[in-house]
Amino acid sequence: MKLDNIYQEEKKSNFAKVSEIIITMASRPSGFIGLSILIFHVILAFISPYVAPYDFKAINPTLMLQAPSAEYWFGTDDLGRDVFTRTILGGRTALTITFFGSLIALLWGGLLGIFCGLVGGKTDDIVMRIVDAFLSIPWILAMLLIVSLLGTSTEVLIPALGFFYGKGIVRVARAATHDVIAKDFIVSARARGHSNFSIIWNEIIPNVRDAILVEGAMRWSWMLLGFSSLSFLGFGVSPPTPDWGLMISNARGLMSFAYWSVIAPIVGLSSLIIGINLTADAFAKALGIDRSTKAPV
Amino acid sequence: MLFLIIKRILLGLITLFIVSLITFVGTEILPGDACTTYLERQAFGEQLEACYRRLGLNVPAYERYVSWAVNAIQGDFGYSLSGEMPIKEVLGPRIKNSLVLASAAIFIGIPIALILGIVTALWRDKLPDVAISTVTIFAMTIPEFISATLLILIIAIWLEWLPGIVIVPTDVSLLELLPNIILPVIAIAMIMTAHMARMVRSSVIQVMASEYVQMAILKGVPYWKMVFKHVLPNALLPAINVVALTIAWLLGGVVVTEVVFNYPGLGRLVIESISNRDLPTVQALAIILASIYVSINLLADLMTLMLNPRLKTLQIRK
Amino acid sequence: MNEIIQKVNNLSIGFKSKKGEEILILRNISTNIKKGETVGIVGESGSGKSTLALAMMGYVKHGLYTIGGECEFNSSNLLKMKNRDLEKIRGRKIAMIPQNAGQALTPNLKIGYQIDEALQLHSDLKEEEREKKISELLNKVRLPSPETIALRYPHELSGGQQQRVAVAMALAGTPDLLLLDEPTTGLDVTTQAHVLELLNFIAKDTGTSMVYVSHDLGAIAQVSDRIIVMYSGEIVLEGPSREILKKPIHPYTYGLLKSIPKLSLAGLPQSMPGSQPQPGTMHRGCSFFDRCDFSEEKCKNNSPQLEYLEELNTSVRCFNHKSLMNDSQVNQTVNEIKTSTQDKEILNLSEVSISYAKQKLLDQVLNRISDDNPTVKDININIKKGETIALVGESGSGKSTILKSIAGLLRTKGGIIKFDQNRNLSSDLKERDPNDLRIIQLIFQNPDESLNPNHTVEEIIAQPLKLYFGLKGEELKKNITDLLQKVRLGEFYMSRYPRQLSGGEKQRVAVARAFAAKPDIILCDEVTSALDVSVQAAVLNLLQQLKEDFGTTYIFVSHDLAVVRAISDRVAVLYQGRLCEVGPSKDVYQFPSHPYTEVLLGAVLEPDPDIKPKLVAEDIVEEKPPQKGCSFQGRCSRILGDICKNEVPPWQLTNSGNSIRCHIPLKELQKDQIN
């Protein structure tokens, strides 16, 4: 007996569906917190250039490593730059790059996964072998190779991140497709003689969409983690662009006497990752998918 | 059964082969090559020729690949560019150090993850679950370099309990290494443990909802006996593979953590060799890390095969 | 006999909905179970019968909770008892036999261990004694070679064997009360009859009280002394088995009994309108009001109380039971089915064989199929336009495989499938042109799986209309409305999703989708198996009506011989992918018949305490058809000897036009068959 069958709803517009999902997400405390943090960061990313009190690259040797004060809320760093200014600007690059990176990951990972799940057999075997091989190179080594090969521009980072974080989506999409194509409604569509394209578009995608979107949301938080690790190692955004990973890396050596310059970016980055993660979690729960069984690969 | 095992091993080897191809091609298309990087401005004429000959770069790519692969199988990865040392010798102590770090994290992480996962599942939605689950969400999302930095700030700098930065030579003895690895191990184990605990939790919850667990309850099996006999064997079996993937993923975290703590392991070597464009070393690292990944997964596959009665008899029935 | 061992008192169980309302699954249930009696609880899915059985063990599922009332066992309330005390009652005093033993046996533990566990918990036997006891128990449930079975894992046994193990496990604690939750649902007909017979034997042998929960009145009729009929969380009728089945004085039971097809009656049973209300949607008044033929104004707003009638020893929840009392000899009337069979042949299967075996590489290269013992072999059937032909047999008989080949989903290995005498259909989907695909449509067993959960009813029915006829806009909409009307669904269903429909409604949508293609042939794969009994008759009647309107031909696959009897013109009996008997249905259901047909007919459970199943052959499960000889040789009780093992039996024609494939001469066949 299905307990949630009780409420008879009518067909809804897409807008109504999306808003219903968001309301469901926000109705849990963790989802509400996650969504609020994420929205806060997104808004901040849009408005920060206009509200930042100082110039993020203005070096002032006389103001080196000042403790937090009314004038410099979060203190200043080793070059005398305002930490508050750099902190509120520090998420923009990361957020933009990983957002578009996730979209790319979703797109190619989802499509390839559906394709593999659908054709099965030898083609599927070979493609999955290759995906497996890519998986078995630690992401950080692969990313470092690419970055040292092609540089650290946005045009390189977005597709590279998208590529490496998409392989997990391939697996999820493939597994979901496998489950769906065994169902009788696919058999029925095939027996009627629908084209492969029509079967993928009308029958498969609506049924695997949720699983893939949840996976994509999850990838986003991991990609952010990966990207900031790259920045931290000096292979991400190049100075003087403010970036949390880079700021933490720079301020790390001085933290025994100027801890403020490392705390602010840590709070910024951690809260964003947690926000995305909680949101992804709530999103999965709102769609009825358990995401905790998935490995972070 | 035997056939299945052989099949898995073969698949693992094929994966390694593809990895070696990918890294070989990857490093091949880097602008410039080992010699131009090494010789920098003197990279022309006689000297360049000599270097090519010495490193064997004057033959076609596929021949180089074959000879490299043949040597690599025997454990010979050629010479590193920067130190002009055999890569084998550079790697040896580094592998040992990283292995100490990673295995400490695994041996501490897995039991804790199991306990946390089982506790949260059995007390689902009760206080222990809510508390632990909240903590694991944080532990899981915070990047290693942040937790490592915070650990140094709090434990090493403010409290001064443990050394923050590892300042030891590469070939240090195990005993001397010990106090230095505590903080790095915590940083690595945190994220991994949190992930595994969540997986164990959901697997146990799934099994707890199964009909056979309901049947065991209705049979009058006492609670803890039910948990150990009927629930855990069935819940942990599928978790093995996922745990293996998590461990493999941890390799990336090791790199970052080693850099933060200045730890003389493979991870720091990765960064160093890439910064120096030491391509032979990068190739060797890629293949070594990939084989660690492949063998962990193979091990997990084999364990699942051994423990699952369903798969054990699959061959006989078909 | 009169000692009460379990007393359910005013029990209500429910759950909190997302909106925080309290929704009841069980409403004020009171009943007693006496020592040594077998009580059958019957109801449709969602009637609360399983929840009631579990509550009798003091178990309430996760998410549900007790709202009020008690389940008293030995004068203590099980629902308030601590887990530690319950452990001493569960398995020892009250034991459960689950619905699906395959799911209910722990997969990583051997059979022997699982029974031993119950013995350890609930007896004082020492280890060697326990070992002997395990063999004894497995013997008692008639499992072959108990010692080897004990060492097996659950998944290595067949469904029937798993169910027997579950029975043995329940008996290990020598319980006073056995609860059986749909113990035979999901088993093959012959296995089901055997398990029921075993349960009857155990009830007599041990004197245990039993509570038998099932949706199947046929099974209930075979085992119970007393029957409780549940509807939407309430007891609506309770009394001695014979009275309930012969004089059903509640309109629901009355209608239910009338809507069940019987072997003895050709033609479609009367259908009951509507379906059971979902929990939480009930208002004031009688919960059966919407579907009742006897309802009055007062039924709408007042809910009737359970009323005890001394003369029948029966309790009934109906204001109008008196009007039924006079009329309640269930004189089942059936709607004769009109044969619309024409002389024109529409589909011809000749020498068709189908194989699931994978091709070896060499054979792939040479493009040949090497399997010399295919899953399905030697199928010769002529299907006339407008007829309904049924393929019957147990699981593994190849009936669905044949359907798949006709639909083009599975390539045939040999033989020819011809449509309309000239179009060759012995090909798979890719080689058929759209029109070939349109003329054959499928309806599946489980509408949950055959309807895309993300499409509305409108989108589902629009698919074939767009694909085959290119309809658009207003015309498309009009066609969809027409089709919905034909399957008796209102226009407002267009915007619904499948999950918002009941099982019967979903199957109607599937039927509408099939008819949207204006097909010549519709393949029906167990189309009523997943439906509740009260809905089944309605779907059968609908299918018959549509067939008469459109002149469609049905190929109807089912394991249920009574349903087949009701709807088909002709029947083909299959065993292990080989035909045993083909003929007009009225003749197949008479003797003489093939020994396998006899086995199948004997195993049918009818909702009548006077008709007992006849068990002719063992219920062994065969994995593969035999290499040579008769396909049924392994289980045949009338096997002649070497001739059956070595030679494929010939077709024999009876006077009535029935073909039987058996070595035994027709006269002999008839002689020993039970009438």
Side-chain angles (χ1 to χ4, degrees):
Chain A
M1 176 184 35
K2 289 186 204 93
L3 299 182
D4 49 10
N5 259 359
I6 298 150
Y7 301 106
Q8 308 251 317
E9 341 123 51
E10 296 289 313
K11 184 182 162 99
K12 292 187 183 113
S13 68
N14 286 330
F15 177 76
K17 273 189 223 163
V18 170
S19 50
E20 192 191 277
I21 289 171
I22 291 175
I23 289 167
T24 322
M25 283 163 69
S27 64
R28 289 168 193 278
S30 62
F32 182 76
I33 295 170
L35 268 176
S36 321
I37 295 176
L38 181 58
I39 291 169
F40 170 77
H41 273 289
V42 171
I43 293 174
L44 192 66
F46 278 106
I47 63 167
S48 52
Y50 309 104
V51 299
Y54 298 94
D55 181 6
F56 67 85
K57 52 184 189 296
I59 298 173
N60 191 344
T62 55
L63 288 170
M64 260 167 52
L65 297 173
Q66 299 242 324
S69 62
E71 211 171 332
Y72 300 101
W73 292 356
F74 291 174
T76 60
D77 67 3
D78 54 342
L79 296 175
R81 297 174 293 195
D82 179 38
V83 176
F84 177 73
T85 302
R86 292 181 65 78
T87 303
I88 61 170
L89 287 165
R92 299 184 79 217
T93 325
L95 207 54
T96 323
I97 287 182
T98 54
F99 179 76
F100 287 106
S102 306
L103 282 187
I104 290 179
L106 260 182
L107 213 66
W108 86 263
L111 288 179
L112 185 66
I114 291 172
F115 171 76
C116 283
L118 191 68
V119 296
K122 295 228 164 58
T123 322
D124 176 36
D125 270 353
I126 293 168
V127 174
M128 286 319 287
R129 259 312 101 200
I130 295 172
V131 169
D132 251 355
F134 272 109
L135 266 176
S136 62
I137 309 174
W139 60 268
I140 201 147
L141 183 66
M143 276 311 297
L144 290 176
L145 265 178
I146 291 180
V147 168
S148 58
L149 176 65
L150 301 170
T152 58
S153 62
T154 318
E155 301 83 61
V156 172
L157 281 170
I158 291 179
L161 285 166
F163 176 69
F164 273 95
Y165 284 81
K167 43 194 192 178
I169 299 179
V170 176
R171 298 189 144 245
V172 171
R174 176 173 168 268
T177 309
H178 257 304
D179 287 349
V180 172
I181 58 169
K183 294 266 170 72
D184 280 342
F185 62 83
I186 303 280
V187 179
S188 165
R190 281 179 47 218
R192 275 199 304 274
H194 285 281
S195 66
N196 277 341
F197 175 77
S198 150
I199 290 180
I200 293 177
W201 186 252
N202 288 316
E203 312 286 340
I204 295 177
I205 289 187
N207 287 295
V208 299
R209 187 187 52 210
D210 288 359
I212 295 178
L213 281 180
V214 164
E215 190 63 21
M218 193 176 1
R219 294 288 143 188
W220 189 12
S221 80
W222 285 336
M223 197 185 283
L224 191 61
L225 197 153
F227 173 74
S228 50
S229 298
L230 274 185
S231 288
F232 175 82
L233 293 173
F235 291 91
V237 181
S238 23
T241 314
D243 178 85
W244 292 327
L246 204 59
M247 287 166 77
I248 296 171
S249 162
N250 286 337
R252 197 163 57 91
L254 311 164
M255 67 183 170
S256 49
F257 46 90
Y259 61 87
W260 54 84
S261 52
V262 70
I263 294 286
I266 282 183
V267 171
L269 181 53
S270 308
S271 66
L272 178 56
I273 296 185
I274 289 172
I276 293 181
N277 212 293
L278 289 177
T279 309
D281 221 33
F283 184 51
K285 279 182 182 144
L287 294 173
I289 296 167
D290 181 10
R291 56 165 285 206
S292 51
T293 49
K294 310 263 162 52
V297 279
Chain B
M1 179 72 185
L2 189 70
F3 174 74
L4 271 181
I5 293 175
I6 293 173
K7 194 178 160 195
R8 297 284 156 103
I9 294 176
L10 273 179
L11 286 180
L13 289 178
I14 293 174
T15 311
L16 278 184
F17 170 68
I18 301 176
V19 171
S20 68
L21 270 185
I22 295 171
T23 45
F24 197 84
V25 172
T27 46
E28 194 66 22
I29 51 175
L30 274 176
D33 53 44
C35 283
T36 48
T37 316
Y38 172 56
L39 295 171
E40 292 180 358
R41 296 214 177 143
Q42 283 109 50
F44 54 84
E46 266 300 292
Q47 265 178 311
L48 192 64
E49 286 290 303
C51 174
Y52 276 154
R53 265 198 305 280
R54 186 163 53 88
L55 293 176
L57 289 176
N58 51 350
V59 294
Y62 68 90
E63 273 181 41
R64 268 184 290 139
Y65 173 73
V66 171
S67 67
W68 176 80
V70 169
N71 289 331
I73 290 169
Q74 296 157 346
D76 177 9
F77 294 101
Y79 286 84
S80 108
L81 283 183
S82 43
E84 295 220 326
M85 258 167 85
I87 294 175
K88 200 161 58 169
E89 282 171 35
V90 180
L91 286 175
R94 299 276 191 151
I95 289 182
K96 189 202 78 189
N97 291 344
S98 283
L99 221 54
V100 170
L101 192 64
S103 46
I106 289 169
F107 282 116
I108 295 168
I110 288 183
I112 296 180
L114 282 180
I115 294 170
L116 291 183
I118 294 167
V119 166
T120 46
L122 296 183
W123 278 271
R124 184 183 173 189
D125 295 338
K126 306 249 168 61
L127 185 68
D129 177 31
V130 175
I132 296 173
S133 292
T134 313
V135 174
T136 51
I137 278 248
F138 279 86
M140 184 169 104
T141 43
I142 297 189
E144 287 94 347
F145 70 89
I146 288 189
S147 47
T149 308
L150 283 176
L151 279 171
I152 295 176
L153 182 63
I154 296 169
I155 310 267
I157 296 179
W158 286 350
L159 300 171
E160 294 179 14
W161 285 351
L162 287 165
I165 305 292
V166 185
I167 326 168
V168 286
T170 309
D171 47 357
V172 69
S173 78
L174 205 57
L175 209 64
E176 285 174 85
L177 199 59
L178 213 54
N180 290 303
I181 67 166
I182 296 175
L183 289 184
V185 164
I186 297 176
I188 295 173
M190 221 157 72
I191 201 163
M192 176 191 76
T193 310
H195 266 294
M196 286 196 291
R198 276 171 67 86
M199 262 136 28
V200 171
R201 174 179 183 268
S202 79
S203 186
V204 171
I205 285 177
Q206 242 168 42
V207 172
M208 288 289 277
S210 72
E211 282 180 43
Y212 55 85
V213 167
Q214 181 184 325
M215 189 60 214
I217 296 171
L218 294 179
K219 214 165 116 185
V221 180
Y223 186 75
W224 286 108
K225 187 169 183 186
M226 175 199 80
V227 169
F228 283 106
K229 276 280 173 189
H230 296 262
V231 177
L232 293 187
N234 293 301
L236 299 185
L237 200 59
I240 292 177
N241 273 305
V242 194
V243 166
L245 287 177
T246 314
I247 291 175
W249 190 60
L250 156 150
L251 293 172
V254 172
V255 174
V256 180
T257 315
E258 285 187 357
V259 172
V260 178
F261 287 98
N262 196 35
Y263 185 89
L266 277 184
R268 223 179 70 200
L269 188 63
V270 169
I271 303 294
E272 286 166 7
S273 55
I274 286 187
S275 308
N276 300 336
R277 300 220 150 191
D278 184 353
L279 298 182
T281 314
V282 172
Q283 282 174 348
L285 282 168
I287 205 80
I288 285 173
L289 291 176
S291 29
I292 295 176
Y293 173 93
V294 169
S295 34
I296 290 175
N297 275 303
L298 187 65
L299 200 71
D301 274 353
L302 295 184
M303 262 168 81
T304 323
L305 274 180
M306 305 285 217
L307 295 175
N308 193 344
R310 218 170 266 261
L311 289 172
K312 237 189 274 179
T313 46
L314 195 73
Q315 288 313 98
I316 307 163
R317 277 172 64 87
K318 274 204 174 163
Chain C
M1 191 71 184
N2 279 325
E3 194 189 328
I4 290 170
I5 64 168
Q6 166 93 257
K7 191 174 170 185
V8 180
N9 194 5
N10 219 5
L11 179 67
S12 296
I13 288 179
F15 63 96
K16 277 249 157 59
S17 74
K18 281 181 200 153
K19 289 183 186 160
E21 297 160 82
E22 197 165 71
I23 288 166
L24 295 178
I25 301 287
L26 288 181
R27 296 187 284 163
N28 305 322
I29 303 282
S30 299
T31 188
N32 297 323
I33 310 295
K34 298 193 188 84
K35 203 172 159 93
E37 75 170 343
T38 301
V39 178
I41 301 181
V42 70
E44 304 176 21
S45 53
S47 62
K49 56 189 192 304
S50 293
T51 310
L52 174 58
L54 288 172
M56 288 182 175
M57 290 194 92
Y59 186 85
V60 179
K61 273 199 177 158
H62 190 87
L64 300 180
Y65 61 97
T66 313
I67 289 161
E70 304 80 57
C71 281
E72 267 179 27
F73 182 80
N74 283 340
S75 56
S76 45
N77 181 7
L78 295 175
L79 293 169
K80 290 251 166 76
M81 214 178 248
K82 285 203 183 93
N83 274 330
R84 198 172 304 157
D85 301 321
L86 278 172
E87 281 160 16
K88 292 192 187 104
I89 291 177
R90 289 174 180 164
R92 183 180 306 190
K93 302 281 182 200
I94 310 176
M96 162 73 87
I97 296 174
Q99 166 167 17
N100 190 342
Q103 305 283 312
L105 294 169
T106 308
N108 68 316
L109 300 175
K110 288 179 180 162
I111 301 298
Y113 175 85
Q114 302 201 36
I115 298 177
D116 192 41
E117 189 179 54
L119 287 172
Q120 276 183 38
L121 291 168
H122 306 303
S123 75
D124 307 322
L125 300 176
K126 290 196 192 67
E127 204 181 325
E128 311 90 73
E129 291 172 318
R130 289 206 308 267
E131 225 159 85
K132 243 177 78 192
K133 185 81 186 179
I134 293 171
S135 295
E136 252 177 64
L137 284 166
L138 289 172
N139 241 329
K140 192 172 204 163
V141 295
R142 296 175 208 155
L143 279 168
S145 52
E147 287 78 11
T148 48
I149 293 262
L151 295 176
R152 299 241 191 127
Y153 289 101
H155 70 270
E156 297 172 282
L157 307 182
S158 71
Q161 288 174 323
Q162 289 168 341
Q163 204 63 49
R164 279 158 206 262
V165 168
V167 176
M169 202 159 84
L171 293 177
T174 54
D176 302 330
L177 174 61
L178 262 181
L179 303 174
L180 305 102
D181 188 3
E182 304 256 12
T184 61
T185 312
L187 301 177
D188 267 327
V189 262
T190 52
T191 315
Q192 179 178 353
H194 277 272
V195 171
L196 277 182
E197 195 257 343
L198 172 72
L199 292 172
N200 265 334
F201 165 76
I202 284 166
K204 273 204 201 88
D205 190 49
T206 58
T208 315
S209 315
M210 288 192 188
V211 173
Y212 191 103
V213 175
S214 180
H215 72 283
D216 181 356
L217 265 173
I220 294 266
Q222 301 312 319
V223 291
S224 3
D225 306 317
R226 206 150 58 82
I227 293 179
I228 296 173
V229 182
M230 292 192 63
Y231 188 78
S232 142
E234 286 178 318
I235 294 179
V236 292
L237 187 64
E238 174 176 3
S241 194
R242 185 166 292 271
E243 261 70 40
I244 301 283
L245 294 168
K246 298 270 181 186
K247 266 182 173 288
I249 53 169
H250 189 280
Y252 170 63
T253 321
Y254 180 82
L256 195 61
L257 278 163
K258 283 197 163 194
S259 67
I260 298 174
K262 313 258 163 35
L263 271 190
S264 51
L265 277 171
L268 287 164
Q270 288 177 352
S271 59
M272 212 193 274
S275 59
Q276 186 181 241
Q278 301 258 13
T281 54
M282 285 160 294
H283 315 287
R284 287 173 304 167
C286 177
S287 49
F288 191 61
F289 174 76
D290 292 345
R291 307 173 71 185
C292 189
D293 290 335
F294 303 86
S295 60
E296 290 173 358
E297 198 48 39
K298 68 171 169 182
C299 304
K300 197 172 176 182
N301 292 317
N302 306 300
S303 55
Q305 292 303 305
L306 207 56
E307 192 180 326
Y308 180 69
L309 308 172
E310 200 145 358
E311 63 270 38
L312 289 172
N313 189 19
T314 301
S315 306
V316 61
R317 190 187 290 275
C318 181
F319 294 121
N320 273 339
H321 61 264
K322 287 220 174 62
S323 63
L324 269 168
M325 198 105 100
N326 308 321
D327 167 42
S328 60
Q329 276 293 334
V330 190
N331 276 330
Q332 193 167 13
T333 49
V334 289
N335 314 327
E336 276 294 322
I337 59 168
K338 267 188 255 161
T339 317
S340 37
T341 313
Q342 302 168 12
D343 266 344
K344 200 175 149 224
E345 175 188 293
I346 191 157
L347 194 74
N348 184 332
L349 278 69
S350 99
E351 299 294 328
V352 168
S353 60
I354 307 157
S355 170
Y356 277 113
K358 260 196 190 162
Q359 284 177 297
K360 294 200 186 87
L361 190 66
L362 180 69
D363 298 323
Q364 259 179 354
V365 176
L366 298 173
N367 201 10
R368 63 173 190 205
I369 298 172
S370 61
D371 190 10
D372 59 347
N373 191 24
T375 324
V376 171
K377 198 178 168 187
D378 295 346
I379 304 297
N380 291 296
I381 306 174
N382 246 319
I383 297 162
K384 299 245 161 65
K385 191 166 168 45
E387 93 175 316
T388 300
I389 183 161
L391 308 178
V392 297
E394 292 167 287
S395 55
S397 63
K399 50 193 193 305
S400 297
T401 309
I402 295 174
L403 275 200
K404 277 189 195 151
S405 272
I406 297 174
L409 292 164
L410 203 64
R411 181 179 275 282
T412 54
K413 180 193 156 228
I416 295 166
I417 302 175
K418 240 190 210 148
F419 175 77
D420 219 3
Q421 282 161 330
N422 53 23
R423 298 234 307 263
N424 189 347
L425 289 186
S426 352
S427 54
D428 64 9
L429 292 171
K430 286 174 212 144
E431 295 153 34
R432 296 190 185 183
D433 66 46
N435 197 41
D436 287 343
L437 294 166
R438 181 189 61 79
I439 52 179
I440 298 175
Q441 292 293 314
L442 271 157
I443 305 174
F444 294 87
Q445 169 172 9
N446 192 342
D448 284 327
E449 290 227 334
S450 70
L451 304 180
N452 188 333
N454 280 301
H455 287 174
T456 57
V457 170
E458 179 179 2
E459 286 160 343
I460 288 168
I461 301 177
Q463 278 184 332
L465 292 173
K466 284 193 215 159
L467 178 72
Y468 298 127
F469 310 112
L471 295 184
K472 271 192 246 96
E474 277 308 304
E475 208 186 348
L476 179 66
K477 200 139 197 165
K478 192 181 163 299
N479 268 283
I480 296 171
T481 328
D482 285 351
L483 281 160
L484 279 176
Q485 215 162 38
K486 292 237 164 62
V487 297
R488 323 239 156 81
L489 292 174
E491 202 181 325
F492 60 93
Y493 278 95
M494 293 240 271
S495 59
R496 297 268 174 95
Y497 286 96
R499 62 172 179 278
Q500 299 163 336
L501 308 179
S502 72
E505 287 166 342
K506 275 183 239 175
Q507 200 60 300
R508 282 164 197 271
V509 173
V511 170
R513 178 177 64 184
F515 274 95
K518 303 203 172 70
D520 293 278
I521 301 171
I522 292 187
L523 312 173
C524 304
D525 190 358
E526 301 268 10
V527 287
T528 58
S529 310
L531 302 178
D532 276 317
V533 196
S534 71
V535 178
Q536 173 177 297
V539 170
L540 288 176
N541 276 302
L542 173 71
L543 283 172
Q544 181 62 30
Q545 185 61 49
L546 289 170
K547 181 185 132 165
E548 282 165 20
D549 292 352
F550 291 96
T552 324
T553 308
Y554 286 147
I555 303 180
F556 196 94
V557 157
S558 179
H559 70 280
D560 188 332
L561 281 108
V563 167
V564 165
R565 171 74 161 146
I567 195 159
S568 65
D569 301 313
R570 219 148 52 99
V571 179
V573 182
L574 285 149
Y575 186 76
Q576 293 280 8
R578 277 84 176 140
L579 282 170
C580 295
E581 182 169 356
V582 185
S585 55
K586 62 178 193 303
D587 298 307
V588 171
Y589 285 80
Q590 274 170 2
F591 298 110
S593 60
H594 190 279
Y596 179 58
T597 316
E598 191 187 354
V599 169
L600 281 181
L601 287 172
V604 172
L605 305 168
E606 300 234 45
D608 186 332
D610 296 327
I611 305 176
K612 294 282 172 209
K614 305 164 189 89
L615 304 177
V616 189
E618 285 303 309
D619 59 327
I620 326 160
V621 177
E622 294 184 278
E623 298 222 326
K624 258 186 135 179
Q627 283 283 350
K628 52 184 183 175
C630 171
S631 61
F632 191 55
Q633 54 175 285
R635 285 172 66 187
C636 187
S637 57
R638 310 181 64 184
I639 188 162
L640 294 175
D642 283 347
I643 188 168
C644 297
K645 288 188 182 148
N646 293 323
E647 282 172 43
V648 178
W651 283 107
Q652 303 185 73
L653 211 66
T654 66
N655 296 334
S656 49
N658 197 7
S659 322
I660 296 172
R661 198 180 208 184
C662 187
H663 285 297
I664 307 171
L666 283 177
K667 274 190 188 152
E668 302 260 327
L669 255 183
Q670 187 160 23
K671 211 161 58 182
D672 293 330
Q673 279 173 341
I674 326 138
N675 283 306

